[in-house]
Amino acid sequence: MPEYPTALGASTRDTITLLGHDLARDVMGQVGFGELAFWLATQRRPSTGETRVFEAVLAALADHGFTPTAITARLTYLSAPESVQGALAAGLLGGGSRFLGVTEDCGRFLHEQLAGRQLPADDGGWDAIALEVVAAQREAKRFVPGLGHHVHKDGDPRTPRLFEIAREEGLEGPHLRLFAAIGRVHPQVLGKTLPLNGAGVCGAALADLGLPMELLRGFALLARTAGLIGQLAEELRDPVANDIFLSVDFNNVSVPPSPYGGHDG
Amino acid sequence: MPEYPTALGASTRDTITLLGHDLARDVMGQVGFGELAFWLATQRRPSTGETRVFEAVLAALADHGFTPTAITARLTYLSAPESVQGALAAGLLGGGSRFLGVTEDCGRFLHEQLAGRQLPADDGGWDAIALEVVAAQREAKRFVPGLGHHVHKDGDPRTPRLFEIAREEGLEGPHLRLFAAIGRVHPQVLGKTLPLNGAGVCGAALADLGLPMELLRGFALLARTAGLIGQLAEELRDPVANDIFLSVDFNNVSVPPSPYGGHDG
Amino acid sequence: MPEYPTALGASTRDTITLLGHDLARDVMGQVGFGELAFWLATQRRPSTGETRVFEAVLAALADHGFTPTAITARLTYLSAPESVQGALAAGLLGGGSRFLGVTEDCGRFLHEQLAGRQLPADDGGWDAIALEVVAAQREAKRFVPGLGHHVHKDGDPRTPRLFEIAREEGLEGPHLRLFAAIGRVHPQVLGKTLPLNGAGVCGAALADLGLPMELLRGFALLARTAGLIGQLAEELRDPVANDIFLSVDFNNVSVPPSPYGGHDG
Amino acid sequence: MPEYPTALGASTRDTITLLGHDLARDVMGQVGFGELAFWLATQRRPSTGETRVFEAVLAALADHGFTPTAITARLTYLSAPESVQGALAAGLLGGGSRFLGVTEDCGRFLHEQLAGRQLPADDGGWDAIALEVVAAQREAKRFVPGLGHHVHKDGDPRTPRLFEIAREEGLEGPHLRLFAAIGRVHPQVLGKTLPLNGAGVCGAALADLGLPMELLRGFALLARTAGLIGQLAEELRDPVANDIFLSVDFNNVSVPPSPYGGHDG
């Protein structure tokens, strides 16, 4: 018979454990939700400082207003109010490479750039690495993930704040340091000054916290789940989904079919 | 032109606000994730005590081991590792009426029973209401939501703990009181003693916190999102999804089609 | 060891069967897709006439333009183009009780009304049942599912056509007959003439085909999957999702939070 | 005001059109479901032969027994029976890069290999291209998508059948020809004989039909939607999902947490 090992939730007739602890006695009432999410993902209980940085990231990503994820969750709730799980799932499905992706892309990019490098001792050393990194991306005609923002062109207010919180907690690690250096040196290479994206700095911070690289997007999605519940709660009290639907449907224009003759057609 | 009002996330070139506050200055680093989720859902910042009860509920519901939601998330990640959002969404879609539903069902049931009633002054008064409620359900041949547990037959360890935490915080409201009274009196009506379900007491506590009744299931899903990330993280390090798939597929038995002749066939 | 019986797909090193038939030899190239979908759902191969009625229903439900499901699929594809499965899944999640529900609601309603009744011999007999049914709904202050349409107020063009096709194939069964009778008699009871909804008549036809009542919504979703692929293909060639997103986001209006004080607050 | 052009479904008070045709008169009862799905995706009505090849592909991909998608749909239906749309969506979310991906991967791979090439006049010419292609993949230490099958090691029965159907309809285009040539020549390069995968040949056939390359996975998902409805229908009559869940849950083994110390931990 196969066996399925797990360190997560388990129960017997009389006990319930989570991560090897008695759920009722040692977790409930003792462990905050951000702390627990970190613990579940790493099987290691975070320090108070780690929890504060992690929760600051979750706050930064929880809700960005009428994004595709929010619109989608509201429209789905309009269509299928019997299934709150469907509305949340539909919203999360928009958390892919384009809209929530910069957190993951930036964290992974920094991580790859750091692989196998000797970590420098001071800002000058970080600047040298950053110059090399930005120049290589430019050479390859690729963007630097996390550099630039389509709205906050003069600076994303989340960025300096997250650096500050990480510094206060002694958790400014190599990913954040490299990202800061990229912010300092990129104008020399690119000839213009771009802001460090707030969702990008979140990826750097999550990477410095040692969270699994493959799941960085998952933490953005966890934050967004709380935001989507907020969207649905607001939709319940002050509905707009039907107006959104009608504003699209009323402005549809029938055009003749445009036959697709194939791949080069 | 239509307008879409919202009190959630909003941004201009220079500012980002959330719930009317400056996100970077007043929320990041200041507000825990459970607290923020409550705030997003109610547009009211919870007290410390409310946050503690709310986070105790989330801890109680975060992960219950190899549930259908967990198995589904792992199998989906196995099949489509490019889409973490798909694995989480698939897992959440199992958070419906049967597996995560008792939280919502119990909260709603208690809420309906309280509607229009004068709240009693003491336990004796609560017992009288509970007797009436349990007797009416029995009469109608319906179960009392939240009464009974298929594993924890002698008592769910989460239940007394959540009552205790709520009491410590002065937040044992009418839903919890009625649920406790149901626990005391039901043997008189049903002739047997059943445990108060831990997921059920979570519904009572969420209702006492004043969270939107239509979204009670949403909070169970928020908790489970953290649990599912834990499941995927464990799957990455100690994979079992392929074994689960193969154990089902290898034990399939081909049988002849059984024609379905229609509704009474 | 558990065993999992199935009459659906199975394979060995040398063979692949589906529904007890050799897939390559007996199904591929021989069985149309609508026919196969019917066969998979009922484990009974449909007649040519049944297939024609079934495919007419699927055509009637495949695409209704910029519905919430279509908008959602396009927005999700915009956000997460790496996951076509996510865009389709998100679209289908809007296929719930409100937007695709009338097919299921109407089919189930007619089925419940027919339960235990002697089927009449002529239109007069059907009219008598229909009068009883409509009067009972009116008495209970409930709508008759499938009666009325918010756009096609003078008649839904799909309705007479589906009756015609079913009649041509000799497949106008009791559900369609009762629905037709409701169309004839309801003005006597309600004092106004309402159209028979095209999605409703689809439910009646699916019920007459003997498809599983619990899955009627599933056939609407199958039809819609084809429609959503059409939506995504059109989005690829003539994109509108970003315009939809921006038209909502640009018209957002920040309002102060409106604290939700609880259930009666 | 924005405008949203579409050639898909549209309606006025009196008319419903689809792809520029009167839905009731010209589509319902006249157009099969596979034909309609092709038409929706390309805005071009397929020929009878194209429809036959397309439907043969859909048949080949509709159901493969207890795959992760099927298990997931059944488990989700067990947990949330109120949401058929959720069960189907959860199943489709497993249709990603690993389990349904070979159709898309193979079609895209062949398409990329053909880009910019002069098409040869005979099998000898195709063999020369195929040799070059297989050798280049080998050189780059990459697999040839669609070559090999983990079960049908001596040949996938779907492969010769789909070639045959395409040939009968005069629709064996460059993608199928190149794939056939790869089947002939790869032993010379790889030193062993591998079967041409049936899901891979489906990708070649879809590419030859001129369907949009970005949505090849979508057609596998359309086929699978029909299969998943079959799975849910079988689950309703002969349920196994609860046994699957219990067989996993009963064989869980609690292990101590294994702290994840970070990316190199």
Side-chain angles (χ1 to χ4, degrees), chain A residues 45-109:
Chain A
R45 189 167 184 175
S47 69
T48 308
E50 287 173 320
T51 300
R52 184 162 172 252
V53 173
F54 183 59
E55 292 192 312
V57 168
L58 296 179
L61 300 175
D63 185 78
H64 298 163
F66 288 113
T67 55
T69 59
I71 300 170
T72 286
R74 288 187 185 233
L75 286 171
T76 305
Y77 191 57
L78 174 72
S79 303
E82 76 280 10
S83 172
V84 171
Q85 70 270 26
L88 293 177
L92 292 182
L93 288 169
S97 57
R98 294 234 183 115
F99 271 78
L100 286 182
V102 68
T103 297
E104 174 163 329
D105 292 347
C106 184
R108 281 177 183 260
F109 173 75

Side-chain angles (χ1 to χ4, degrees), chain A residues 1 79 82 97-98 237 258, chain C residues 1 79 82 97 237 258:
Chain A
M1 288 293 278
S79 303
E82 76 280 10
S97 57
R98 294 234 183 115
R237 287 185 285 156
S258 160
Chain C
M1 286 294 276
S79 304
E82 76 279 11
S97 58
R237 288 185 285 154
S258 160

